Amino acid sequence: MTKDFQPQPNAPSISRPESLAKFLGIDWTLLQDVSKNIDLNWRKGKTEKKSDGSIRLTHSGSPVLKKIHKSINRKILSTVYYPNYLYGGLKNNSNGTNRNHIANAKLHQGKRLIISADIAGFFPSVNELTIRNIWQYFFPFAPDVATLLTRLTSYQDELPQGWGNSPYLAQLVFWNTEHLLLKKLHQQNVGYSRYIDDFTLSTNQTLTKENLTQLFRGLAVMCLQKGTKLKGKKCKVESRIRHQTVNKLIISGGKISLPKIYRNNLRARVHQFYLKKSKMIPIECSSQKRSIQGQINYLKKFHPYQASQLEIMLSQ
């Protein structure tokens, strides 16, 4: 398959674990010790509240494990060629274009139909075998080297969300299947992108119910091949006669905008801060203000006038 469709590794062949340590610039004894004691180097990450109200548990690591992860990213994972249909957790393209959620949304703007699907519990469902197969069969690494890298980048048979290598590995989960699906979609004039675990398809074609069923089935089969599955409630089809959304951004009406509920909630948060800040201790007031300013800066990307009005209110 052509380079445009499939990820391509750019790392040298490594046949021995000791050679991996040398390549990463990490002492071999240290690398071996950390890999054998990954539980001792695991740390609890932040607890995040998802948009549906459920809780996401994330992972962190010891300073030495983070150092190893950074080296793996720098020397191996960031050097991979990632096709331009992959977004999220990746460096900008060589021409400077972004790989963020905004760029992903723009890719599908103006299409007649937007088809979206999400993978259920993606990171926890990517198991150790899938990760090992990436290291052994996608990269030119010997089995012992793949085993060592798997120990360093997985935890309790999961891809740990929050570890530095996980976004890159998430993009490689479908390295030997996704390009086959993409080729079929291109033949049907259907556009495709994936933002980590969010699939977006778009087309100007008229699709029957059977056509749509086949598209969702193709995604579901690809997921099942890797031990993951689609989240049924997140599968949707949107026509341009109504609001179309990609990655929680509205892409209808010739421009990209934030949902009204986000803007209203932010305005309410700024108002509440204005009413209560006089009763806050300085450190709490400063923390709240920085957090709100971050949200305003995000709003400014899409609604600069509304953002400027909120900044005025925030500074009073």
Side-chain angles (χ1 to χ4, degrees), residues 20 47 83 92 115 150 188 197-198 214 216 228 272 275 280-281 293 299 303:
L20 173 67
T47 299
N92 291 349
I115 300 130
T150 302
Q188 300 172 51
D197 59 348
D198 293 329
Q214 290 175 347
F216 282 121
T228 62
Q272 287 297 313
L275 295 177
M280 294 181 184
I281 61 175
Q293 184 62 59
L299 177 70
H303 308 277

Short mmCIF file of all heavy atoms in Angstrom, two decimals, residues 20 47 83 92 115 150 188 197-198 214 216 228 272 275 280-281 293 299 303:
data_model
loop_
_atom_site.label_atom_id
_atom_site.label_comp_id
_atom_site.label_asym_id
_atom_site.label_seq_id
_atom_site.Cartn_x
_atom_site.Cartn_y
_atom_site.Cartn_z
N LEU A 20 18.97 -1.55 22.39
CA LEU A 20 17.87 -0.59 22.56
C LEU A 20 18.26 0.45 23.60
O LEU A 20 18.05 1.66 23.39
CB LEU A 20 16.60 -1.31 23.00
CG LEU A 20 15.42 -0.39 23.37
CD1 LEU A 20 14.91 0.34 22.15
CD2 LEU A 20 14.30 -1.20 24.03
N THR A 47 -7.71 12.53 37.99
CA THR A 47 -9.07 12.02 37.77
C THR A 47 -9.83 13.09 37.00
O THR A 47 -9.93 14.23 37.44
CB THR A 47 -9.77 11.73 39.11
OG1 THR A 47 -9.03 10.74 39.82
CG2 THR A 47 -11.18 11.23 38.87
N PRO A 83 0.08 8.96 8.45
CA PRO A 83 -0.71 9.47 7.32
C PRO A 83 -1.59 10.65 7.73
O PRO A 83 -1.95 10.80 8.91
CB PRO A 83 -1.55 8.26 6.90
CG PRO A 83 -0.79 7.08 7.39
CD PRO A 83 -0.13 7.51 8.66
N ASN A 92 2.81 18.70 14.34
CA ASN A 92 2.30 19.31 13.11
C ASN A 92 2.96 18.67 11.90
O ASN A 92 4.07 18.13 11.98
CB ASN A 92 2.56 20.81 13.10
CG ASN A 92 1.73 21.54 14.14
OD1 ASN A 92 0.81 20.97 14.73
ND2 ASN A 92 2.03 22.80 14.37
N ILE A 115 -20.62 11.34 9.22
CA ILE A 115 -20.87 10.08 9.92
C ILE A 115 -19.82 9.95 11.02
O ILE A 115 -18.62 10.01 10.74
CB ILE A 115 -20.79 8.88 8.96
CG1 ILE A 115 -21.82 9.04 7.84
CG2 ILE A 115 -21.00 7.58 9.70
CD1 ILE A 115 -21.28 8.86 6.47
N THR A 150 7.24 -3.36 25.46
CA THR A 150 5.86 -3.59 25.90
C THR A 150 5.75 -3.43 27.41
O THR A 150 4.80 -2.83 27.92
CB THR A 150 5.39 -4.99 25.48
OG1 THR A 150 5.50 -5.13 24.06
CG2 THR A 150 3.95 -5.23 25.91
N GLN A 188 -15.40 4.71 -2.65
CA GLN A 188 -16.81 5.08 -2.54
C GLN A 188 -16.99 6.60 -2.40
O GLN A 188 -18.09 7.07 -2.12
CB GLN A 188 -17.42 4.39 -1.32
CG GLN A 188 -17.37 2.87 -1.37
CD GLN A 188 -17.80 2.23 -0.05
OE1 GLN A 188 -18.86 2.55 0.49
NE2 GLN A 188 -16.99 1.34 0.48
N ASP A 197 -9.55 8.15 19.11
CA ASP A 197 -10.56 7.09 19.14
C ASP A 197 -11.90 7.55 18.56
O ASP A 197 -12.92 6.88 18.73
CB ASP A 197 -10.77 6.59 20.57
CG ASP A 197 -11.20 7.70 21.53
OD1 ASP A 197 -11.12 8.88 21.15
OD2 ASP A 197 -11.60 7.39 22.67
N ASP A 198 -11.89 8.67 17.86
CA ASP A 198 -13.10 9.19 17.23
C ASP A 198 -12.98 9.08 15.71
O ASP A 198 -12.08 9.68 15.11
CB ASP A 198 -13.33 10.66 17.61
CG ASP A 198 -13.67 10.84 19.07
OD1 ASP A 198 -14.28 9.93 19.65
OD2 ASP A 198 -13.32 11.89 19.64
N GLN A 214 -23.25 -0.60 6.16
CA GLN A 214 -21.98 -1.17 5.70
C GLN A 214 -20.80 -0.35 6.20
O GLN A 214 -19.75 -0.91 6.57
CB GLN A 214 -21.97 -1.25 4.18
CG GLN A 214 -22.92 -2.30 3.61
CD GLN A 214 -22.96 -2.29 2.09
OE1 GLN A 214 -22.49 -1.36 1.44
NE2 GLN A 214 -23.57 -3.33 1.51
N PHE A 216 -20.68 1.53 9.00
CA PHE A 216 -20.52 1.27 10.43
C PHE A 216 -19.98 -0.14 10.67
O PHE A 216 -19.17 -0.37 11.57
CB PHE A 216 -21.84 1.46 11.17
CG PHE A 216 -22.21 2.90 11.41
CD1 PHE A 216 -23.40 3.43 10.91
CD2 PHE A 216 -21.37 3.73 12.13
CE1 PHE A 216 -23.73 4.76 11.13
CE2 PHE A 216 -21.70 5.07 12.36
CZ PHE A 216 -22.88 5.58 11.85
N THR A 228 -11.16 -4.08 20.33
CA THR A 228 -11.93 -2.91 20.76
C THR A 228 -13.32 -2.98 20.12
O THR A 228 -13.59 -3.84 19.29
CB THR A 228 -11.23 -1.60 20.35
OG1 THR A 228 -11.14 -1.54 18.90
CG2 THR A 228 -9.82 -1.54 20.92
N GLN A 272 -20.13 34.20 37.89
CA GLN A 272 -20.00 33.68 39.25
C GLN A 272 -18.67 34.09 39.88
O GLN A 272 -18.60 34.41 41.07
CB GLN A 272 -20.14 32.16 39.25
CG GLN A 272 -21.56 31.66 39.01
CD GLN A 272 -22.52 32.11 40.11
OE1 GLN A 272 -22.23 32.00 41.30
NE2 GLN A 272 -23.66 32.64 39.70
N LEU A 275 -18.86 37.64 41.07
CA LEU A 275 -19.64 37.80 42.30
C LEU A 275 -18.90 37.30 43.54
O LEU A 275 -19.09 37.84 44.64
CB LEU A 275 -20.97 37.06 42.17
CG LEU A 275 -21.96 37.57 41.10
CD1 LEU A 275 -23.18 36.67 41.06
CD2 LEU A 275 -22.37 39.01 41.40
N MET A 280 -12.75 35.20 48.04
CA MET A 280 -11.75 34.15 47.83
C MET A 280 -10.41 34.57 48.41
O MET A 280 -10.07 35.76 48.42
CB MET A 280 -11.56 33.86 46.33
CG MET A 280 -12.75 33.28 45.63
SD MET A 280 -12.37 32.97 43.87
CE MET A 280 -13.96 32.41 43.27
N ILE A 281 -9.64 33.58 48.87
CA ILE A 281 -8.27 33.87 49.26
C ILE A 281 -7.46 34.09 47.98
O ILE A 281 -7.82 33.58 46.91
CB ILE A 281 -7.67 32.73 50.12
CG1 ILE A 281 -7.66 31.42 49.32
CG2 ILE A 281 -8.44 32.59 51.41
CD1 ILE A 281 -6.98 30.28 50.06
N GLN A 293 -9.39 32.11 32.19
CA GLN A 293 -8.70 32.74 31.07
C GLN A 293 -8.33 31.71 30.00
O GLN A 293 -8.40 32.00 28.80
CB GLN A 293 -7.44 33.46 31.55
CG GLN A 293 -6.70 34.24 30.46
CD GLN A 293 -7.54 35.35 29.87
OE1 GLN A 293 -7.98 36.25 30.58
NE2 GLN A 293 -7.76 35.30 28.56
N LEU A 299 -12.14 30.04 23.50
CA LEU A 299 -13.30 30.67 22.87
C LEU A 299 -12.86 31.66 21.80
O LEU A 299 -13.50 31.79 20.74
CB LEU A 299 -14.13 31.38 23.95
CG LEU A 299 -15.35 32.18 23.47
CD1 LEU A 299 -16.44 31.23 22.99
CD2 LEU A 299 -15.89 33.06 24.62
N HIS A 303 -14.80 32.65 18.48
CA HIS A 303 -15.71 33.76 18.74
C HIS A 303 -14.93 34.91 19.41
O HIS A 303 -15.08 35.14 20.61
CB HIS A 303 -16.86 33.30 19.65
CG HIS A 303 -17.57 32.07 19.17
ND1 HIS A 303 -18.57 32.09 18.22
CD2 HIS A 303 -17.40 30.76 19.50
CE1 HIS A 303 -18.99 30.86 18.00
NE2 HIS A 303 -18.30 30.04 18.75
#
